[in-house]
């Protein structure tokens, strides 16, 4: 099930308007997070830091989606069994 949900997220959900907007908000946050390091790190190191933060945020988005779907299904199953 996890693999199917990952495919749904990677091929459909991540392109939805709300997901794109969330990505833009995350991008702004990453820019704020790395500001203190400007001038302290080389351009290459800053780019590497950005890439690391983007990778972490992408993984967190995907895992949050999986967790949300699982709890939605559990809640629905509990409601239907009453």
């Amino acid at each position: 099930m996890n693999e199917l949900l990952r495919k749904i997220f990677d091929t459909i959900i991540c392109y939805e308007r709300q997901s794109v907007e969330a990505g833009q908000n995350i991008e702004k946050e990453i820019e704020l997070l790395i500001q203190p390091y400007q001038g302290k790190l080389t351009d290459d190191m800053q780019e590497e830091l950005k890439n690391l933060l983007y990778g972490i945020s992408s993984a967190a988005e995907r895992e949050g989606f999986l967790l949300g779907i699982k709890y939605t299904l559990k809640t629905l199953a509990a409601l239907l069994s009453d």
Side-chain angles (χ1 to χ4, degrees):
M1 182 165 135
N2 281 349
E3 190 57 35
L4 175 61
L5 292 175
R6 280 188 178 90
K7 285 180 183 180
I8 291 169
F9 181 84
D10 290 340
T11 59
I12 299 169
I13 302 299
C14 69
Y15 297 108
E16 293 293 317
R17 182 181 55 80
Q18 295 92 343
S19 189
V20 171
E21 289 172 0
Q24 292 168 343
N25 292 336
I26 290 168
E27 191 172 328
K28 289 175 188 174
E29 277 298 315
I30 288 173
E31 291 298 326
L32 289 174
L33 288 171
I34 66 166
Q35 262 183 350
Y37 299 98
Q38 291 177 347
K40 296 178 183 177
L41 300 175
T42 65
D43 289 344
D44 287 343
M45 291 174 82
Q46 285 182 38
E47 193 62 34
E48 194 172 326
L49 180 57
K50 273 187 190 180
N51 290 337
L52 178 65
L53 293 171
Y54 283 124
I56 292 167
S57 67
S58 293
E61 281 182 277
R62 186 179 300 108
E63 290 303 312
F65 171 76
L66 295 175
L67 189 60
I69 292 293
K70 287 177 184 178
Y71 277 99
T72 299
L73 293 175
K74 284 182 181 183
T75 302
L76 183 59
L79 290 172
L80 294 175
S81 67
D82 286 342

